[in-house]
């Protein structure tokens, strides 16, 4: 498709789309309800919404180009979505994926391009004329404003044209695709209410398509009937293609790419080349200083320096944006550190003018640096564009920028309370919202990270291994299997009625309640476990519920940092292939032949011993758990090793003791 031509022809496409899909719905509602609807005004309202949204979402606001919006057609690098063995290359409207799935959740880390991907799908859905796209930014929802409120506001503007009841009637008939962006950006105090409302909305409009995006977090388990996809990491050539797209004048891109290719130590910077945001930061930092840092935290600092000191090439290269606040780079950075921490604690990244001014005043009080809040806000929009203004609201250009300055504040400005803050994040039920901050803290202050977060983790792992000793050969529990169950508890629910696919479909909403009625919920949650996933396998009599500790994702961070505490899990596929069996078939056969097994069980050593299971069935349990609770890109093939855990714990404790001895010496 020639997108330059397509963009100019968008209005006729929208008209055709609405005539084909929406006009019949309006007429059907009138015929069935005897309501007199203003067809022209309804079609006009939808036309204006889709046209306006297209003009918004076809642009990308990227830190590389400061405040200059760039059309998505010029900058989008096609991403690939993965689920098990499936892959969908999203270079146009994803027809095959959309035909296969009605409900999709895309979960991935900061900067992988989730929002950009949803914008791309929005504009291409219009061109496909298959569905009417509705784009919802979930951060705008609250306990007092739900999805239908947001749709009504977008459609009606100042004039009340379409009632909520009529909107619902149209939505219930299908042919819409809802693009729900940024579940992780819902203000924290509203997450429970908004989640319940989204679920209610989806149940009422279930003839449509839904795509939800979020960073990985435990609350996503609430959408257990969504099919989860990950974004495939960029290959090096894809990253290089994106670098070339950023370099409109072909000034730095080829030099930067050559440097990465020629220096062996740089080509291995997988984290920076595999993530679209990090690629943009890499380019922006190199454009400014022609060096490539090796740590993520230094990447962000280099980008900040580039933005603060940036010469405006559009004005001849000599022009430097004046700072109204009159602060130098270090003082400006100090204020931003406090602002990052203050706004992060609010649990949101978008603010009214009064809110952001109040946050800046608090930052001024915390730093004792003199400036006018309104001047600094102006600088954050224009001179050092880390924020942008959207309507009446201000927001960070990317959530990860807020997290970078928050981590800087924790590591540089809160030394007296740093240990308490770090441990507070570790033990918080919202631990998964702190992962990127902890990743940055590891880079900025590895020593403090190890004596707080890492040591706490190692202590809990040691306690687990000590309370779950290696079992005898007859009990067939080995070290690998103990490692698998360190972070999680798995419950199996058996009922012969599950064998019917229709029964499964109808029973699924009640599956969780059935589990909860048979386990000690209060104990489970008081021990820091949250529901991670529910699986019911067709043609089997059982379902599996997985609960993971709130700090589960820390294991991926530690693995990524190269800590020597893991062993590789053996792959049992050859065993099952030899006997033409799957773990689910083996488990199902056992339960089907034992009537007394109906009920709910925690899969642990005691259960396996109680049932007097043979080795093959025990292995089947573990393989089924691994199979259902790992995803592409996770580190499910690795588990923690008891000996390595204890060795590293002793090493850190020895270092703390030595440090304390030195401090005591100077106190003499």
């Amino acid at each position: 498709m020639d997108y330059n031509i397509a963009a100019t022809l968008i209005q006729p496409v929208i008209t055709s789309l609405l005539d084909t899909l929406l006009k019949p719905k309006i007429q059907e509602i009138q015929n069935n309800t005897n309501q007199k609807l203003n067809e022209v005004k309804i079609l006009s309202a939808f036309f204006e919404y889709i046209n306006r949204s297209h003009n918004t979402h076809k642009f990308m606001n990227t830190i590389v180009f400061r405040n200059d919006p760039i059309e998505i057609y010029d900058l989008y690098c096609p991403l690939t979505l993965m689920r098990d063995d499936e892959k969908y290359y999203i270079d146009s409207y994803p027809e095959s994926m959309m035909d296969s799935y009605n409900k999709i959740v895309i979960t991935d880390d900061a900067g992988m391009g989730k929002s950009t991907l949803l914008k791309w799908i929005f504009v291409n859905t219009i061109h496909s004329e298959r569905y009417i796209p509705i784009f919802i930014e979930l951060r705008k929802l609250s306990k007092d404003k739900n999805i239908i409120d947001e749709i009504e506001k977008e459609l009606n503007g100042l004039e009340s044209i379409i009632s909520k009841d009529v909107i619902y009637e149209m939505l219930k008939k299908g042919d819409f695709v809802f693009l729900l962006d940024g579940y992780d950006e819902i203000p924290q105090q509203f997450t429970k209410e908004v989640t319940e409302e989204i679920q209610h909305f989806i149940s009422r409009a279930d003839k449509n398509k839904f795509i939800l995006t979020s960073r990985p977090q435990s609350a996503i388990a609430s959408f257990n009937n969504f099919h989860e996809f990950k974004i495939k990491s960029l290959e090096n050539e894809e990253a290089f293609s994106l670098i070339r797209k950023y370099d409109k004048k072909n000034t730095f891109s080829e030099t930067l790419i050559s440097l990465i290719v020629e220096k062996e130590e740089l080509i291995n910077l997988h984290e920076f080349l595999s993530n679209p945001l990090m690629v943009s930061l890499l380019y922006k930092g190199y454009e400014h200083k022609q060096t490539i840092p090796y740590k993520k935290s230094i990447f962000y600092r280099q980008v900040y320096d580039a933005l603060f000191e940036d010469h405006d090439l559009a004005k001849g290269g000599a022009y430097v944006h004046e700072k109204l606040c009159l602060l130098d780079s270090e003082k400006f950075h100090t204020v931003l550190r406090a602002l990052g921490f203050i706004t992060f604690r609010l649990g949101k990244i978008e603010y009214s003018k009064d809110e952001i001014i109040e946050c800046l005043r608090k930052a001024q009080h915390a730093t004792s640096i003199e400036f006018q809040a309104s001047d600094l806000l102006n600088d954050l929009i224009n001179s050092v564009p880390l924020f942008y203004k959207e309507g009446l609201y201000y927001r960070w250009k990317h959530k990860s920028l807020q997290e970078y300055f928050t981590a800087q504040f924790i590591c540089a400005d809160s030394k007296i309370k740093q240990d308490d803050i770090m441990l507070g994040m570790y033990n918080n039920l919202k631990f998964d919202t702190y992962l990127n901050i902890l990743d940055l803290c590891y880079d900025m202050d590895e020593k403090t990270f190890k004596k707080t977060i890492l040591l706490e983790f190692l202590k809990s792992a040691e306690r687990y291994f000590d309370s779950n000793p290696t079992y005898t050969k007859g009990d067939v529990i080995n070290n690998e299997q103990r490692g698998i169950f360190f972070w999680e508890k798995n419950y199996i629910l058996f009922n012969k009625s599950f064998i019917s696919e229709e029964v499964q479909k109808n029973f699924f909403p009640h599956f969780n309640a059935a589990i909860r009625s048979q386990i000690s919920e209060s104990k489970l949650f008081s021990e820091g476990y949250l529901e991670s996933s529910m699986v019911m396998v067709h043609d089997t009599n059982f379902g599996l519920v997985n609960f993971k500790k709130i700090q589960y994702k820390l294991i991926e961070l530690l693995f990524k940092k190269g800590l020597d505490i893991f062993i590789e899990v053996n792959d049992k596929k050859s065993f099952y292939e030899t006997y033409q069996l799957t773990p689910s078939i083996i488990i199902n056969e056992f339960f089907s032949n034992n009537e007394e097994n109906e009920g709910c069980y925690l899969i642990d050593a005691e259960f396996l011993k109680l049932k007097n299971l043979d080795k093959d069935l025990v292995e089947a349990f573990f393989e089924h758990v691994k199979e259902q609770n790992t995803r592409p890109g996770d580190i499910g093939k690795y588990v923690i090793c008891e000996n390595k855990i204890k060795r590293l714990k002793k090493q850190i404790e020895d270092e703390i003791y030595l440090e304390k001895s030195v401090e005591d010496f100077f106190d003499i």
Side-chain angles (χ1 to χ4, degrees), residues 17 91 127 176 202 539 615 637 666:
L17 175 70
D91 61 343
H127 291 301
F176 292 86
I202 291 171
D539 290 335
K615 185 174 181 180
K637 290 185 177 293
F666 284 105

Side-chain angles (χ1 to χ4, degrees), residues 166-342:
V166 172
I167 293 172
Y168 257 127
E169 285 302 313
M170 288 188 287
L171 300 183
K172 284 161 63 176
K173 296 181 183 303
D175 295 324
F176 292 86
V177 56
F178 292 93
L179 305 169
L180 309 175
D181 187 37
Y183 179 80
D184 57 294
E185 293 184 2
I186 297 171
Q188 290 178 10
Q189 68 269 35
F190 303 137
T191 300
K192 183 176 183 295
E193 293 88 347
V194 171
T195 299
E196 291 173 354
E197 176 53 37
I198 294 173
Q199 292 169 325
H200 177 65
F201 175 81
I202 291 171
S203 69
R204 290 189 64 181
D206 65 350
K207 290 184 179 179
N208 300 288
K209 303 281 187 178
F210 300 88
I211 303 180
L212 173 73
T213 67
S214 177
R215 290 194 191 179
Q217 58 184 57
S218 54
I220 284 296
S222 302
F223 300 94
N224 49 62
N225 57 344
F226 274 57
H227 299 276
E228 185 177 7
F229 283 81
K230 300 279 189 181
I231 298 175
K232 180 177 175 290
S233 298
L234 297 182
E235 301 289 343
N236 287 341
E237 284 304 319
E238 291 174 315
F240 298 158
S241 173
L242 187 54
I243 289 172
R244 292 186 180 103
K245 286 176 181 284
Y246 284 128
D247 190 12
K248 296 294 184 183
K249 296 184 179 181
N250 196 26
T251 307
F252 299 103
S253 57
E254 296 306 326
T255 304
L256 173 57
I257 292 167
S258 296
L259 180 63
I260 294 172
V261 171
E262 291 168 6
K263 291 199 173 185
E264 185 176 345
E265 67 272 19
L266 294 181
I267 200 68
N268 293 323
L269 292 177
H270 177 72
E271 182 180 2
F272 303 130
L273 294 175
S274 64
N275 180 301
L277 175 67
M278 297 307 291
V279 171
S280 72
L281 299 184
L282 170 65
Y283 173 79
K284 187 64 179 177
Y286 186 80
E287 179 187 48
H288 172 67
K289 206 171 182 180
Q290 282 80 62
T291 61
I292 301 177
Y294 290 83
K295 289 185 176 181
K296 187 191 291 188
S297 58
I298 304 176
F299 257 76
Y300 282 99
R301 176 65 202 224
Q302 189 164 301
V303 170
Y304 164 78
D305 290 339
L307 292 174
F308 191 91
E309 302 167 15
D310 207 6
H311 294 253
D312 196 330
L313 300 178
K315 298 185 178 181
Y319 178 81
V320 179
H321 290 274
E322 181 183 357
K323 314 299 185 297
L324 296 180
C325 67
L326 303 179
L327 299 182
D328 63 26
S329 177
E330 289 306 315
K331 288 183 178 179
F332 201 99
H333 194 272
T334 300
V335 173
L336 281 175
R337 298 198 298 263
L339 181 65
F341 187 78
I342 291 164

Side-chain angles (χ1 to χ4, degrees), residues 108-137:
D108 225 308
D109 298 324
M112 283 303 295
K114 298 180 292 296
S115 294
T116 300
L117 180 61
L118 237 53
K119 289 184 175 185
W120 179 258
I121 293 175
F122 181 91
V123 298
N124 281 274
T125 299
I126 298 172
H127 291 301
S128 77
E129 298 188 52
R130 292 282 306 276
Y131 297 96
I132 301 170
I134 304 289
F135 198 105
I136 303 291
E137 294 174 300

Side-chain angles (χ1 to χ4, degrees), residues 63 184-185 188 215 277 300 336-351 356 359 386-387 394-410 433 436-437 440 444:
I63 201 166
D184 57 294
E185 293 184 2
Q188 290 178 10
R215 290 194 191 179
L277 175 67
Y300 282 99
L336 281 175
R337 298 198 298 263
L339 181 65
F341 187 78
I342 291 164
T343 57
F344 185 83
R345 291 188 66 185
L346 286 178
K348 56 184 183 178
I349 63 169
E350 183 176 79
Y351 322 92
I356 194 63
C359 289
L386 293 163
F387 275 66
Y394 298 80
R395 62 173 303 190
W396 291 88
K397 277 202 169 174
H398 198 278
K399 189 176 180 180
S400 64
L401 292 167
Q402 179 194 49
E403 291 166 331
Y404 160 72
F405 287 108
T406 299
Q408 279 279 333
F409 180 85
I410 293 169
T433 65
N436 198 41
I437 291 176
L440 289 160
M444 296 173 188

Side-chain angles (χ1 to χ4, degrees), residues 25-42 160-163 166 170:
K25 299 184 196 312
I26 300 171
Q27 294 169 351
E28 185 181 350
I29 292 171
Q30 290 188 114
N31 294 336
N32 293 341
T33 64
N34 293 321
Q35 293 186 68
K36 186 169 179 58
L37 303 177
N38 191 323
E39 180 180 294
V40 173
K41 283 195 171 184
I42 292 175
S160 182
I161 297 171
I162 318 175
S163 70
V166 172
M170 288 188 287

Side-chain angles (χ1 to χ4, degrees), residues 337-529:
R337 298 198 298 263
L339 181 65
F341 187 78
I342 291 164
T343 57
F344 185 83
R345 291 188 66 185
L346 286 178
K348 56 184 183 178
I349 63 169
E350 183 176 79
Y351 322 92
S352 67
K353 185 171 183 179
D354 287 342
E355 286 177 320
I356 194 63
I357 289 293
E358 178 61 23
C359 289
L360 284 166
R361 286 173 178 156
K362 288 181 178 179
Q364 183 178 46
H365 177 75
T367 60
S368 300
I369 294 175
E370 289 298 321
F371 60 87
Q372 289 294 323
S374 58
D375 289 341
L376 198 141
L377 179 59
N378 186 291
D379 289 336
L380 285 173
I381 299 296
N382 298 304
S383 303
V384 191
L386 293 163
F387 275 66
Y388 66 87
K389 185 179 179 183
E390 188 176 63
L392 299 175
Y393 290 88
Y394 298 80
R395 62 173 303 190
W396 291 88
K397 277 202 169 174
H398 198 278
K399 189 176 180 180
S400 64
L401 292 167
Q402 179 194 49
E403 291 166 331
Y404 160 72
F405 287 108
T406 299
Q408 279 279 333
F409 180 85
I410 293 169
C411 295
D413 303 308
S414 63
K415 283 300 181 182
I416 296 177
K417 296 184 177 180
Q418 184 179 358
D419 289 8
D420 292 337
I421 293 173
M422 300 279 277
L423 290 173
M425 289 190 288
Y426 180 85
N427 292 307
N428 197 297
L429 285 174
K430 298 184 182 297
F431 173 83
D432 45 18
T433 65
Y434 304 128
L435 271 172
N436 198 41
I437 291 176
L438 292 175
D439 189 354
L440 289 160
C441 285
Y442 189 103
D443 284 352
M444 296 173 188
D445 190 352
E446 183 177 337
K447 180 180 176 181
T448 300
F449 183 98
K450 286 185 173 179
K451 75 175 186 179
T452 54
I453 301 289
L454 181 56
L455 185 58
E456 190 71 12
F457 159 75
L458 296 173
K459 286 178 178 178
S460 64
E462 184 179 60
R463 287 193 298 270
Y464 167 79
F465 282 119
D466 288 346
S467 61
N468 292 277
T470 303
Y471 289 87
T472 65
K473 185 176 182 180
D475 293 322
V476 295
I477 307 295
N478 59 36
N479 286 327
E480 174 190 302
Q481 293 160 349
R482 286 195 300 150
I484 291 171
F485 283 164
F486 166 62
W487 281 114
E488 60 189 53
K489 291 184 183 293
N490 293 273
Y491 290 84
I492 192 163
L493 181 66
F494 175 74
N495 188 306
K496 285 197 172 182
S497 66
F498 291 171
I499 198 71
S500 162
E501 185 174 20
E502 188 60 31
V503 169
Q504 281 194 19
K505 180 180 177 182
N506 295 330
F507 188 76
F508 202 94
H510 308 289
F511 186 30
N512 193 24
I515 288 287
R516 291 169 186 269
S517 69
Q518 298 182 62
I519 63 177
S520 177
E521 178 178 312
S522 59
K523 183 179 180 183
L524 193 68
F525 289 111
S526 67
E527 291 176 351
Y529 288 87

